[in-house]
Amino acid sequence: MTAALALRAEWTKFTTLRSQWVTPLLAVLLTAGVTAAVQAAYGDVDASLYEDPGVGIYYGLLFGQTAVVCTGVLLIGQEFASGTIRASLAAVPRRGRLYGAKLLLGTGVGLAVGLLSVGGAHAATAATVGLDLSEPGAARSIAAGVLYHPLLLVICLGAATMLRNLTAAMGLLTPTVFLGTTVLGGVPGAREVARFLPDRAGLYATTYHADPDVPYGHWTGLLIMAAWAAAAAYGGLRSIRRHDA
């Protein structure tokens, strides 16, 4: 089984399992839809949404990212849950090749979701409260918003591979990303640590203006998230090579 055939097999799984292609579509709809609703209702009156345009534009991402988490988990967690991981390993005995194909597919899906979500969020903002892409930080915010999705997906794919359990991965990652790090950000003492968690650092990269309370720059925030993604991908590789299916 060559790397190209392994990737083709993963693409076939992705396109034929409804849960796997519906979930990233839901991420796009949630991100763009929630942003449109919030901007239409509060975009002109809530200062937190327009003082830093990135906050309003990516408001829907706070909800859409939950579906991105589920996408990353399902790419391999579904196989652990059903036992089909054994058939996958029988077809692709080189475990690194199988895992690499999943990572490559996940990165591609994440980029597609990022492009559609960011495009939808910006279109929703432009249609409701208006949008000025000439503002300083706009181009960087767009790039960070697109890259946020594949990085988060890879983190969740790697974590699901290490946990080797669909229920555990969903139960741990979904509430942590959706609510856990936000709660930690409001707890004195834990706030400083929470800023270095991947989703907090990545979301900071999407804002236009610098926050004096954050001890790093916007691009550094994206690099922090990328470091988490690299660590998760490596951890997943070590796990799939060392443990029986």
Side-chain angles (χ1 to χ4, degrees):
M1 177 70 75
T2 65
L5 288 175
L7 180 59
R8 182 178 178 182
E10 293 304 318
W11 174 253
T12 301
K13 296 175 194 175
F14 177 78
T15 54
T16 54
L17 288 172
R18 184 180 300 174
S19 60
Q20 293 206 1
W21 62 263
V22 168
T23 308
L25 179 61
L26 182 61
V28 176
L29 295 176
L30 279 172
T31 300
V34 172
T35 293
V38 170
Q39 292 282 45
Y42 305 105
D44 290 327
V45 296
D46 189 340
S48 66
L49 297 176
Y50 61 77
E51 287 181 350
D52 190 318
V55 175
I57 293 169
Y58 293 102
Y59 194 92
L61 180 56
L62 301 175
F63 300 85
Q65 66 181 356
T66 306
V68 177
V69 170
C70 294
T71 301
V73 172
L74 287 172
L75 281 176
I76 195 166
Q78 212 166 43
E79 293 198 47
F80 281 117
S82 64
T84 54
I85 187 67
R86 291 187 288 273
S88 295
L89 290 172
V92 190
R94 295 184 64 174
R95 298 186 175 203
R97 181 167 293 174
L98 173 67
Y99 183 64
K102 289 185 178 294
L103 282 177
L104 188 58
L105 175 67
T107 301
V109 170
L111 280 172
V113 171
L115 287 168
L116 293 172
S117 296
V118 171
H122 279 77
T125 301
T128 51
V129 297
L131 185 63
D132 181 9
L133 293 180
S134 65
E135 284 196 49
R140 186 249 310 139
S141 177
I142 292 172
V146 172
L147 293 174
Y148 180 90
H149 293 78
L151 290 174
L152 180 61
L153 197 152
V154 167
I155 289 170
C156 296
L157 174 58
T161 307
M162 286 185 278
L163 291 170
R164 301 168 58 243
N165 185 294
L166 176 64
T167 304
M170 285 289 192
L172 175 65
L173 296 171
T174 305
T176 298
V177 172
F178 181 64
L179 187 61
T181 56
T182 303
V183 172
L184 284 176
V187 177
R191 184 181 298 114
E192 289 71 21
V193 176
R195 291 194 181 104
F196 290 90
L197 294 177
D199 58 319
R200 293 293 96 193
L203 286 173
Y204 178 65
T206 65
T207 59
Y208 281 38
H209 305 150
D211 185 344
D213 293 329
V214 177
Y216 50 76
H218 292 98
W219 285 117
T220 304
L222 196 64
L223 288 174
I224 290 171
M225 190 178 189
W228 278 94
Y234 178 72
L237 178 62
R238 292 271 295 176
S239 177
I240 201 169
R241 281 178 169 172
R242 297 181 65 181
H243 294 100
D244 292 333

